[in-house]
Amino acid sequence: ADGDLVLYRYGLKDLVTILFYILIAIILHAVVQEYVLDKINRRLHLSKVKHSKFNESGQLVAFHLTSVIWCLYVVVTEGYISNPRNLWENYPHVYLPFQVKFFYLCQLAYWLHALPELYFQKVRKEELPRQLRCIALYLAHVAGAYLLDLTRLGLILLLLQYLAEFFFHMARLVYFTDENNEKLFNVWAVVFVVTRLFTLTLYILVIGFGLPQVETQPLDPERGNFFSFLFNNIFFRMSVLLLVCLFQASVMWRFIHLQLRRWRERWTEQSSRKRAGARQPAKLLKRDSGYHENGVVKAENGTSPRTKKLKSP
Protein backbone atom coordinates (compact mmCIF):
# COMPACT_ATOMS: atom_id res chain seq x y z
CA ALA A 1 0.00 0.00 0.00
CA ASP A 2 2.85 2.42 0.72
CA GLY A 3 4.56 1.66 -2.58
CA ASP A 4 7.48 -0.34 -1.18
CA LEU A 5 8.79 -3.07 -3.47
CA VAL A 6 10.06 -6.22 -1.76
CA LEU A 7 12.93 -8.01 -3.54
CA TYR A 8 14.37 -11.46 -2.84
CA ARG A 9 17.66 -13.32 -3.02
CA TYR A 10 18.39 -17.01 -3.27
CA GLY A 11 19.52 -19.06 -0.28
CA LEU A 12 19.37 -22.42 1.42
CA LYS A 13 15.72 -21.97 2.34
CA ASP A 14 14.92 -22.27 -1.36
CA LEU A 15 15.58 -26.01 -1.07
CA VAL A 16 12.60 -26.40 1.30
CA THR A 17 10.37 -24.44 -1.09
CA ILE A 18 11.53 -26.54 -4.04
CA LEU A 19 10.85 -29.75 -2.11
CA PHE A 20 7.30 -28.61 -1.36
CA TYR A 21 6.58 -27.78 -5.00
CA ILE A 22 8.09 -31.10 -6.12
CA LEU A 23 5.26 -32.78 -4.24
CA ILE A 24 2.75 -30.39 -5.83
CA ALA A 25 4.15 -31.21 -9.29
CA ILE A 26 3.83 -34.95 -8.65
CA ILE A 27 0.16 -34.50 -7.67
CA LEU A 28 -0.59 -32.37 -10.76
CA HIS A 29 1.22 -34.91 -12.94
CA ALA A 30 -1.01 -37.70 -11.59
CA VAL A 31 -4.18 -35.62 -12.11
CA VAL A 32 -3.35 -34.88 -15.77
CA GLN A 33 -2.43 -38.52 -16.34
CA GLU A 34 -5.54 -40.05 -14.80
CA TYR A 35 -8.26 -37.62 -15.83
CA VAL A 36 -7.02 -36.60 -19.28
CA LEU A 37 -4.37 -38.81 -20.86
CA ASP A 38 -5.63 -42.20 -19.68
CA LYS A 39 -9.12 -41.48 -21.00
CA ILE A 40 -7.73 -40.54 -24.41
CA ASN A 41 -5.50 -43.63 -24.47
CA ARG A 42 -8.48 -45.93 -23.91
CA ARG A 43 -10.12 -44.56 -27.03
CA LEU A 44 -7.04 -44.63 -29.25
CA HIS A 45 -5.87 -48.18 -28.35
CA LEU A 46 -2.20 -47.34 -28.88
CA SER A 47 0.68 -49.78 -28.68
CA LYS A 48 2.98 -49.82 -25.66
CA VAL A 49 5.65 -47.74 -27.38
CA LYS A 50 3.20 -45.14 -28.65
CA HIS A 51 1.38 -45.20 -25.32
CA SER A 52 4.56 -44.17 -23.49
CA LYS A 53 5.38 -41.43 -26.00
CA PHE A 54 1.81 -40.15 -25.94
CA ASN A 55 1.91 -39.81 -22.15
CA GLU A 56 5.27 -38.03 -22.30
CA SER A 57 4.11 -35.55 -24.94
CA GLY A 58 0.78 -35.01 -23.20
CA GLN A 59 2.45 -34.07 -19.92
CA LEU A 60 4.96 -31.80 -21.64
CA VAL A 61 2.28 -30.05 -23.70
CA ALA A 62 0.46 -29.08 -20.50
CA PHE A 63 3.70 -27.97 -18.84
CA HIS A 64 5.09 -26.04 -21.83
CA LEU A 65 1.81 -24.25 -22.50
CA THR A 66 1.54 -23.16 -18.87
CA SER A 67 5.19 -22.10 -18.77
CA VAL A 68 4.96 -20.11 -22.03
CA ILE A 69 1.93 -18.14 -20.80
CA TRP A 70 3.47 -17.59 -17.36
CA CYS A 71 6.91 -16.65 -18.70
CA LEU A 72 5.43 -14.28 -21.28
CA TYR A 73 3.44 -12.55 -18.55
CA VAL A 74 6.57 -12.13 -16.40
CA VAL A 75 8.81 -10.71 -19.15
CA VAL A 76 6.08 -8.30 -20.31
CA THR A 77 5.21 -7.00 -16.84
CA GLU A 78 8.88 -6.65 -15.88
CA GLY A 79 9.66 -4.77 -19.10
CA TYR A 80 12.31 -7.16 -20.42
CA ILE A 81 10.85 -7.14 -23.95
CA SER A 82 9.94 -3.46 -24.26
CA ASN A 83 13.42 -2.42 -23.08
CA PRO A 84 16.07 -5.05 -23.99
CA ARG A 85 18.75 -3.07 -22.14
CA ASN A 86 17.22 -4.38 -18.91
CA LEU A 87 18.74 -7.75 -19.77
CA TRP A 88 22.25 -6.55 -18.84
CA GLU A 89 21.88 -3.23 -17.07
CA ASN A 90 22.72 -3.23 -13.34
CA TYR A 91 24.26 -6.69 -13.56
CA PRO A 92 24.52 -8.78 -11.41
CA HIS A 93 20.79 -9.04 -10.82
CA VAL A 94 21.10 -10.27 -7.26
CA TYR A 95 17.73 -9.06 -6.02
CA LEU A 96 14.69 -10.54 -7.78
CA PRO A 97 11.01 -9.62 -7.87
CA PHE A 98 8.71 -12.19 -6.31
CA GLN A 99 7.24 -13.46 -9.59
CA VAL A 100 10.68 -14.00 -11.12
CA LYS A 101 11.97 -15.91 -8.09
CA PHE A 102 8.78 -17.96 -7.82
CA PHE A 103 8.93 -18.85 -11.52
CA TYR A 104 12.48 -20.18 -11.21
CA LEU A 105 11.69 -22.19 -8.08
CA CYS A 106 8.70 -23.81 -9.81
CA GLN A 107 10.80 -24.62 -12.86
CA LEU A 108 13.44 -26.31 -10.73
CA ALA A 109 10.74 -28.21 -8.84
CA TYR A 110 9.15 -29.50 -12.05
CA TRP A 111 12.36 -30.79 -13.59
CA LEU A 112 13.44 -32.38 -10.32
CA HIS A 113 10.04 -34.07 -10.01
CA ALA A 114 10.61 -35.60 -13.46
CA LEU A 115 13.31 -37.87 -11.99
CA PRO A 116 11.01 -39.94 -9.69
CA GLU A 117 8.35 -39.84 -12.41
CA LEU A 118 10.63 -41.93 -14.59
CA TYR A 119 10.15 -44.72 -12.05
CA PHE A 120 6.43 -44.15 -11.55
CA GLN A 121 5.76 -44.12 -15.29
CA LYS A 122 7.86 -47.29 -15.81
CA VAL A 123 9.86 -45.78 -18.63
CA ARG A 124 11.67 -48.31 -20.80
CA LYS A 125 15.43 -48.70 -20.41
CA GLU A 126 15.94 -47.60 -24.02
CA GLU A 127 14.25 -44.28 -23.30
CA LEU A 128 16.01 -43.55 -20.01
CA PRO A 129 19.27 -42.04 -21.39
CA ARG A 130 17.39 -39.60 -23.65
CA GLN A 131 15.03 -38.43 -20.92
CA LEU A 132 17.78 -38.15 -18.32
CA ARG A 133 19.85 -36.08 -20.73
CA CYS A 134 16.89 -33.78 -21.39
CA ILE A 135 16.18 -33.31 -17.66
CA ALA A 136 19.86 -32.64 -16.92
CA LEU A 137 20.09 -29.96 -19.63
CA TYR A 138 17.00 -28.15 -18.37
CA LEU A 139 18.19 -28.30 -14.77
CA ALA A 140 21.62 -26.99 -15.75
CA HIS A 141 20.11 -24.10 -17.70
CA VAL A 142 17.53 -23.07 -15.08
CA ALA A 143 19.85 -23.50 -12.09
CA GLY A 144 22.72 -21.81 -13.89
CA ALA A 145 20.66 -18.74 -14.79
CA TYR A 146 19.30 -18.60 -11.23
CA LEU A 147 22.63 -18.97 -9.42
CA LEU A 148 24.74 -16.87 -11.82
CA ASP A 149 22.30 -13.91 -11.61
CA LEU A 150 21.38 -14.21 -15.30
CA THR A 151 17.67 -14.58 -14.56
CA ARG A 152 16.52 -11.99 -17.09
CA LEU A 153 18.36 -13.57 -19.99
CA GLY A 154 17.28 -17.01 -18.77
CA LEU A 155 13.60 -16.02 -18.88
CA ILE A 156 13.77 -15.01 -22.55
CA LEU A 157 15.69 -18.15 -23.48
CA LEU A 158 13.21 -20.37 -21.63
CA LEU A 159 10.33 -18.64 -23.39
CA LEU A 160 11.84 -19.37 -26.81
CA GLN A 161 12.74 -22.96 -25.92
CA TYR A 162 9.35 -23.80 -24.42
CA LEU A 163 7.55 -22.31 -27.42
CA ALA A 164 9.38 -24.61 -29.84
CA GLU A 165 8.94 -27.62 -27.55
CA PHE A 166 5.21 -26.97 -27.24
CA PHE A 167 4.69 -27.18 -31.01
CA PHE A 168 6.85 -30.31 -31.24
CA HIS A 169 4.95 -32.28 -28.61
CA MET A 170 1.62 -30.98 -29.89
CA ALA A 171 2.57 -32.29 -33.34
CA ARG A 172 3.39 -35.69 -31.79
CA LEU A 173 -0.04 -35.87 -30.14
CA VAL A 174 -1.79 -35.07 -33.41
CA TYR A 175 0.37 -37.63 -35.23
CA PHE A 176 -0.56 -40.38 -32.75
CA THR A 177 -4.27 -39.71 -33.34
CA ASP A 178 -3.89 -39.48 -37.14
CA GLU A 179 -0.64 -40.75 -38.68
CA ASN A 180 -1.40 -39.05 -41.99
CA ASN A 181 -1.52 -35.62 -40.39
CA GLU A 182 1.99 -34.13 -40.21
CA LYS A 183 1.19 -30.48 -40.81
CA LEU A 184 2.09 -29.43 -37.27
CA PHE A 185 5.57 -30.89 -37.73
CA ASN A 186 6.11 -28.35 -40.52
CA VAL A 187 4.93 -25.58 -38.21
CA TRP A 188 7.31 -26.84 -35.53
CA ALA A 189 10.21 -26.84 -38.02
CA VAL A 190 9.64 -23.16 -38.83
CA VAL A 191 9.24 -22.19 -35.16
CA PHE A 192 12.35 -24.18 -34.22
CA VAL A 193 14.57 -22.42 -36.76
CA VAL A 194 13.24 -18.98 -35.79
CA THR A 195 13.75 -19.60 -32.07
CA ARG A 196 17.31 -20.88 -32.66
CA LEU A 197 18.15 -17.67 -34.54
CA PHE A 198 16.67 -15.51 -31.78
CA THR A 199 18.53 -17.53 -29.14
CA LEU A 200 21.90 -17.08 -30.84
CA THR A 201 21.20 -13.38 -31.39
CA LEU A 202 20.35 -12.88 -27.72
CA TYR A 203 23.53 -14.60 -26.57
CA ILE A 204 25.69 -12.42 -28.83
CA LEU A 205 23.81 -9.25 -27.87
CA VAL A 206 23.89 -9.78 -24.10
CA ILE A 207 27.22 -11.58 -23.57
CA GLY A 208 29.14 -10.05 -26.46
CA PHE A 209 27.99 -6.42 -26.28
CA GLY A 210 25.78 -5.84 -23.23
CA LEU A 211 27.62 -7.28 -20.24
CA PRO A 212 31.04 -5.83 -21.20
CA GLN A 213 29.51 -2.35 -20.82
CA VAL A 214 28.68 -3.03 -17.17
CA GLU A 215 31.04 -1.48 -14.65
CA THR A 216 33.65 -3.95 -13.45
CA GLN A 217 32.98 -5.04 -9.88
CA PRO A 218 35.36 -7.06 -7.67
CA LEU A 219 34.60 -10.53 -6.39
CA ASP A 220 32.11 -10.13 -3.53
CA PRO A 221 30.20 -13.33 -2.56
CA GLU A 222 28.15 -11.51 0.07
CA ARG A 223 26.63 -9.22 -2.55
CA GLY A 224 26.42 -11.95 -5.17
CA ASN A 225 29.20 -10.59 -7.39
CA PHE A 226 30.72 -13.86 -8.57
CA PHE A 227 31.23 -13.45 -12.31
CA SER A 228 30.70 -9.77 -13.18
CA PHE A 229 34.46 -9.18 -13.56
CA LEU A 230 34.82 -12.17 -15.90
CA PHE A 231 32.57 -10.72 -18.62
CA ASN A 232 35.01 -7.83 -19.06
CA ASN A 233 37.72 -10.36 -19.91
CA ILE A 234 37.69 -10.74 -23.69
CA PHE A 235 39.13 -14.28 -23.55
CA PHE A 236 36.40 -15.47 -21.19
CA ARG A 237 33.71 -13.71 -23.22
CA MET A 238 34.86 -15.15 -26.55
CA SER A 239 35.17 -18.63 -25.03
CA VAL A 240 31.56 -18.50 -23.82
CA LEU A 241 30.32 -17.28 -27.21
CA LEU A 242 32.31 -19.99 -28.99
CA LEU A 243 30.77 -22.70 -26.80
CA VAL A 244 27.30 -21.26 -27.40
CA CYS A 245 27.82 -21.19 -31.19
CA LEU A 246 29.14 -24.74 -31.24
CA PHE A 247 26.21 -25.99 -29.18
CA GLN A 248 23.66 -24.22 -31.40
CA ALA A 249 25.41 -25.56 -34.50
CA SER A 250 25.20 -29.13 -33.18
CA VAL A 251 21.49 -28.65 -32.44
CA MET A 252 20.84 -27.31 -35.94
CA TRP A 253 22.84 -30.18 -37.48
CA ARG A 254 20.68 -32.73 -35.67
CA PHE A 255 17.57 -30.86 -36.75
CA ILE A 256 18.63 -30.80 -40.42
CA HIS A 257 19.52 -34.50 -40.27
CA LEU A 258 16.07 -35.28 -38.82
CA GLN A 259 14.30 -33.26 -41.52
CA LEU A 260 16.28 -34.93 -44.30
CA ARG A 261 15.42 -38.36 -42.92
CA ARG A 262 11.72 -37.44 -42.75
CA TRP A 263 11.71 -36.20 -46.35
CA ARG A 264 13.56 -39.32 -47.51
CA GLU A 265 11.05 -41.59 -45.78
CA ARG A 266 8.12 -39.62 -47.17
CA TRP A 267 9.55 -39.73 -50.71
CA THR A 268 10.12 -43.49 -50.42
CA GLU A 269 6.57 -44.03 -49.19
CA GLN A 270 5.07 -41.95 -52.00
CA SER A 271 7.12 -43.72 -54.67
CA SER A 272 6.08 -47.14 -53.32
CA ARG A 273 2.45 -46.08 -53.44
CA LYS A 274 2.82 -44.97 -57.05
CA ARG A 275 4.41 -48.29 -58.04
CA ALA A 276 1.64 -50.21 -56.26
CA GLY A 277 -1.00 -48.16 -58.09
CA ALA A 278 0.62 -48.78 -61.48
CA ARG A 279 0.49 -52.56 -60.98
CA GLN A 280 -3.29 -52.58 -60.50
CA PRO A 281 -5.28 -53.76 -63.58
CA ALA A 282 -6.92 -51.12 -65.65
CA LYS A 283 -10.63 -50.61 -65.10
CA LEU A 284 -13.06 -51.96 -67.65
CA LEU A 285 -14.43 -49.42 -70.05
CA LYS A 286 -18.09 -48.55 -69.59
CA ARG A 287 -20.27 -49.91 -72.35
CA ASP A 288 -23.09 -48.24 -74.11
CA SER A 289 -26.45 -47.78 -72.46
CA GLY A 290 -28.31 -51.02 -71.95
CA TYR A 291 -27.91 -54.15 -69.92
CA HIS A 292 -26.90 -57.77 -70.44
CA GLU A 293 -29.31 -60.64 -70.35
CA ASN A 294 -28.08 -64.15 -71.16
CA GLY A 295 -25.11 -62.74 -72.97
CA VAL A 296 -27.20 -60.53 -75.26
CA VAL A 297 -27.08 -56.78 -75.03
CA LYS A 298 -30.56 -55.39 -74.50
CA ALA A 299 -31.64 -51.85 -74.97
CA GLU A 300 -33.11 -49.84 -72.12
CA ASN A 301 -36.67 -50.83 -73.15
CA GLY A 302 -35.80 -54.52 -73.13
CA THR A 303 -35.51 -55.03 -76.92
CA SER A 304 -32.28 -56.05 -78.53
CA PRO A 305 -30.75 -53.29 -80.63
CA ARG A 306 -30.79 -54.02 -84.36
CA THR A 307 -29.38 -52.10 -87.26
CA LYS A 308 -32.00 -50.62 -89.55
CA LYS A 309 -31.87 -51.59 -93.20
CA LEU A 310 -31.92 -48.75 -95.67
CA LYS A 311 -34.58 -49.07 -98.35
CA SER A 312 -33.46 -48.65 -101.93
CA PRO A 313 -34.91 -45.59 -103.59
Side-chain angles (χ1 to χ4, degrees):
D2 55 0
D4 292 338
L5 179 62
V6 180
L7 300 177
Y8 299 84
R9 291 184 63 179
Y10 58 80
L12 293 177
K13 294 181 181 180
D14 290 344
L15 298 177
V16 181
T17 308
I18 291 174
L19 178 61
F20 172 77
Y21 283 103
I22 286 175
L23 301 177
I24 298 297
I26 292 175
I27 294 173
L28 293 177
H29 189 112
V31 169
V32 173
Q33 183 67 42
E34 183 174 355
Y35 292 99
V36 179
L37 298 178
D38 287 345
K39 291 183 178 181
I40 299 176
N41 280 322
R42 294 190 192 100
R43 296 181 180 180
L44 296 178
H45 303 289
L46 300 175
S47 62
K48 291 184 178 180
V49 177
K50 291 184 178 180
H51 184 273
S52 176
K53 293 182 178 180
F54 184 88
N55 289 336
E56 177 191 358
S57 294
Q59 293 287 348
L60 290 176
V61 161
F63 169 72
H64 288 317
L65 180 61
T66 305
S67 297
V68 165
I69 297 174
W70 189 3
C71 189
L72 183 62
Y73 174 79
V74 172
V75 298
V76 170
T77 54
E78 295 295 332
Y80 299 154
I81 293 181
S82 59
N83 186 13
R85 295 179 64 88
N86 288 331
L87 297 178
W88 61 81
E89 284 185 342
N90 301 321
Y91 179 82
H93 308 132
V94 181
Y95 300 101
L96 307 175
F98 170 76
Q99 60 179 355
V100 176
K101 179 181 177 66
F102 185 57
F103 177 82
Y104 271 93
L105 293 182
C106 290
Q107 292 294 316
L108 290 172
Y110 179 85
W111 291 111
L112 286 173
H113 111 282
L115 294 174
E117 285 295 340
L118 296 177
Y119 174 76
F120 296 148
Q121 296 292 325
K122 298 180 180 179
V123 178
R124 297 185 306 159
K125 293 182 179 180
E126 296 81 4
E127 293 289 329
L128 276 178
R130 179 184 63 84
Q131 296 201 22
L132 288 174
R133 184 168 59 250
C134 178
I135 294 171
L137 287 174
Y138 274 112
L139 283 175
H141 175 86
V142 178
Y146 185 63
L147 297 176
L148 301 181
D149 302 321
L150 290 169
T151 52
R152 300 179 182 181
L153 176 61
L155 282 173
I156 306 296
L157 295 178
L158 279 177
L159 176 62
L160 295 173
Q161 177 66 20
Y162 286 164
L163 185 63
E165 288 293 310
F166 168 75
F167 280 101
F168 172 72
H169 290 287
M170 194 66 196
R172 285 181 71 181
L173 291 180
V174 175
Y175 176 77
F176 288 142
T177 56
D178 183 10
E179 294 186 356
N180 296 322
N181 191 350
E182 298 185 0
K183 295 180 180 179
L184 271 182
F185 279 111
N186 299 328
V187 177
W188 163 72
V190 175
V191 174
F192 182 85
V193 173
V194 173
T195 53
R196 291 302 101 189
L197 292 176
F198 271 103
T199 299
L200 188 59
T201 304
L202 273 175
Y203 271 116
I204 296 175
L205 178 65
V206 176
I207 298 178
F209 298 98
L211 291 177
Q213 299 176 6
V214 179
E215 182 181 357
T216 304
Q217 301 178 19
L219 179 65
D220 190 355
E222 294 183 358
R223 295 185 178 182
N225 297 335
F226 293 101
F227 302 97
S228 59
F229 67 96
L230 290 177
F231 288 108
N232 289 279
N233 187 333
I234 187 172
F235 177 76
F236 176 79
R237 191 166 64 249
M238 295 305 296
S239 300
V240 172
L241 288 178
L242 179 61
L243 290 176
V244 169
C245 292
L246 290 176
F247 179 75
Q248 295 297 324
S250 64
V251 171
M252 286 300 300
W253 170 252
R254 292 179 59 188
F255 171 77
I256 293 172
H257 180 72
L258 174 64
Q259 293 300 314
L260 291 176
R261 187 179 64 183
R262 284 185 59 224
W263 291 338
R264 192 184 305 113
E265 292 176 354
R266 187 181 304 175
W267 181 81
T268 304
E269 183 180 357
Q270 290 179 355
S271 60
S272 62
R273 288 180 179 178
K274 290 181 180 179
R275 288 195 299 268
R279 293 174 183 175
Q280 293 180 357
K283 295 182 179 180
L284 296 176
L285 297 176
K286 187 177 180 181
R287 299 192 179 188
D288 296 334
S289 60
Y291 63 96
H292 291 267
E293 183 178 341
N294 296 329
V296 181
V297 178
K298 298 289 185 178
E300 293 181 356
N301 57 2
T303 59
S304 59
R306 296 179 181 178
T307 55
K308 294 183 179 180
K309 295 182 179 180
L310 296 177
K311 296 182 180 180
S312 56

